[in-house]
Amino acid sequence: MKRKIDDLQEDKPPIALPDANTKSSSKDASFTDYELDPRLLKAIAGQSFHKPTTPQALAIPQILDGKSLVLRAKTGSGKTLCYLLPIIEGILRTKGNTQASTSALVLVPTRELADQVLRTIETFTAYCQKDVRAIKLSEQLPDEVVRSMLASTPHIVVATPSRACSSIKLSSWVSNLKVLVIDESDLVSSYGYDDDLTTLSASIPKGVQTVLTSATLSSDVDHVKNRFCKSPIILDLNEPDAEGEGITQYFVECGEDDKFLLIYVLLKLKLIRGKCLIFVADDVDRSYRLKLYLEQFGIRSA
């Protein structure tokens, strides 16, 4: 059952909603405004990112200031960079000033998302790879392998809650954690990770800066927020006229047997142009079936 954010608790956190002035300033923002490391700016320019999206323009300064944050924004609005750029910048700023330790943990609900986050880290640390190291713990790996990976003292660990939970039984790598990110926090809560989250909340140091991202502000997000955050700033940016305005949505009701034929027709007749992101139900196997199906007709996919 979903509840309004105003009803979540008596001591309401500060809520930052985009008004006309906020939107105007975010549109004029530039990545150079945040005094980021030149190597990080070079990587950003290499991806042809000319200016931050509205969520990035509003969230990055808050996270750089060390504030805990709950960010609600549409899929595709750049939420991943909202937390990764400040994390990488924080590591670069403290490089050599503190003893080597893992300073950031990024929790994600699925192995596929863990892969995506790690690839993004690698992209934006292309010019500072020696100074920012990241690992991914999302597969079932032997204990010796996990111990070895953690012994290298990575700055950032990307993991599913279950893998993160099992790893802290092997090493106390979270003892010096500075930032905790729970990406897609509504899904993390609803994917059956409740026991793992309980263990992690007891193991992570108190006062850690926490960033929650989500496409919704539901009771699932509320549950995670109350467990890991204390009076976070709420950025609710999922407005109809926010990033992505002007998009038109269509839907076709069809039977299971017609779905593959329909997607073939849409692509082959070029009713969909350019790159396309396709969401499927069920599991990864269905994604792979669709990939094999499209390849029979010379439609490249991954």
Side-chain angles (χ1 to χ4, degrees):
M1 181 177 180
K2 295 184 179 180
R3 293 182 289 171
K4 293 182 180 179
I5 193 67
D6 290 341
D7 299 330
L8 295 183
Q9 55 188 29
E10 291 184 4
D11 297 326
K12 303 179 182 67
I15 301 177
L17 297 175
D19 55 23
N21 293 330
T22 301
K23 290 177 186 176
S24 177
S25 62
S26 65
K27 288 181 181 179
D28 297 333
S30 168
F31 286 108
T32 57
D33 297 340
Y34 312 129
E35 300 181 356
L36 300 176
D37 187 282
R39 293 167 292 178
L40 195 47
L41 289 173
K42 185 176 180 181
I44 293 170
Q47 296 300 307
S48 298
F49 290 171
H50 303 296
K51 63 179 183 178
T53 63
T54 297
Q56 290 166 0
L58 297 176
I60 289 175
Q62 303 278 8
I63 300 174
L64 282 172
D65 285 344
K67 298 173 182 175
S68 290
L69 190 71
V70 176
L71 172 63
R72 176 186 184 236
K74 292 181 179 180
T75 299
S77 58
K79 293 193 294 293
T80 303
L81 284 190
C82 286
Y83 62 80
L84 281 184
L85 291 182
I87 286 175
I88 296 169
E89 175 64 21
I91 293 168
L92 293 175
R93 288 180 182 180
T94 59
K95 184 65 180 176
N97 297 331
T98 58
Q99 185 176 1
S101 62
T102 299
S103 58
L105 168 61
V106 180
L107 293 177
V108 294
T110 66
R111 182 174 62 186
E112 291 76 21
L113 187 53
D115 292 338
Q116 178 182 319
V117 172
L118 184 64
R119 286 196 300 270
T120 304
I121 294 172
E122 291 171 345
T123 296
F124 288 91
T125 58
Y127 301 102
C128 52
Q129 292 177 340
K130 293 182 179 179
D131 294 327
V132 182
R133 301 184 309 279
I135 64 169
K136 171 175 63 75
L137 299 176
S138 58
E139 294 89 0
Q140 185 72 52
L141 299 171
D143 290 350
E144 313 83 66
V145 174
V146 175
R147 283 196 187 94
S148 176
M149 294 172 70
L150 294 172
S152 66
T153 320
H155 298 98
I156 307 171
V157 172
V158 182
T160 57
S162 58
R163 296 279 74 83
C165 188
S166 62
S167 70
I168 62 176
K169 299 174 183 177
L170 304 175
S171 169
S172 59
W173 60 273
V174 296
S175 59
N176 293 312
L177 207 65
K178 299 293 186 296
V179 183
L180 169 67
V181 176
I182 306 181
D183 202 351
E184 304 293 355
S185 53
D186 50 346
L187 298 181
V188 166
S189 180
S190 63
Y191 273 29
Y193 289 123
D194 202 60
D195 291 342
D196 298 316
L197 292 176
T198 299
T199 301
L200 288 169
S201 64
S203 304
I204 291 172
K206 302 298 181 184
V208 166
Q209 180 185 10
T210 305
V211 178
L212 272 57
T213 73
S214 174
T216 65
L217 283 181
S218 64
S219 57
D220 289 329
V221 178
D222 176 29
H223 180 65
V224 177
K225 177 181 71 66
N226 290 338
R227 179 172 287 176
F228 289 96
C229 301
K230 183 178 181 181
S231 300
I233 292 174
I234 308 275
L235 281 178
D236 186 357
L237 306 176
N238 205 359
E239 294 186 320
D241 58 348
E243 294 291 331
E245 64 178 325
I247 292 177
T248 303
Q249 176 175 290
Y250 301 90
F251 70 92
V252 178
E253 293 185 358
C254 62
E256 171 66 23
D257 295 340
D258 297 328
K259 289 184 178 180
F260 282 78
L261 176 60
L262 180 60
I263 193 64
Y264 165 75
V265 170
L266 290 172
L267 295 172
K268 209 64 178 177
L269 295 182
K270 297 185 178 179
L271 299 176
I272 297 176
R273 297 177 178 273
K275 293 183 178 180
C276 175
L277 176 62
I278 302 175
F279 292 93
V280 303
D282 302 325
D283 52 27
V284 178
D285 290 341
R286 186 173 181 85
S287 299
Y288 194 67
R289 283 179 54 208
L290 181 58
K291 168 182 164 60
L292 294 177
Y293 172 79
L294 294 175
E295 286 181 349
Q296 294 181 47
F297 302 101
I299 301 174
R300 293 187 298 139
S301 62

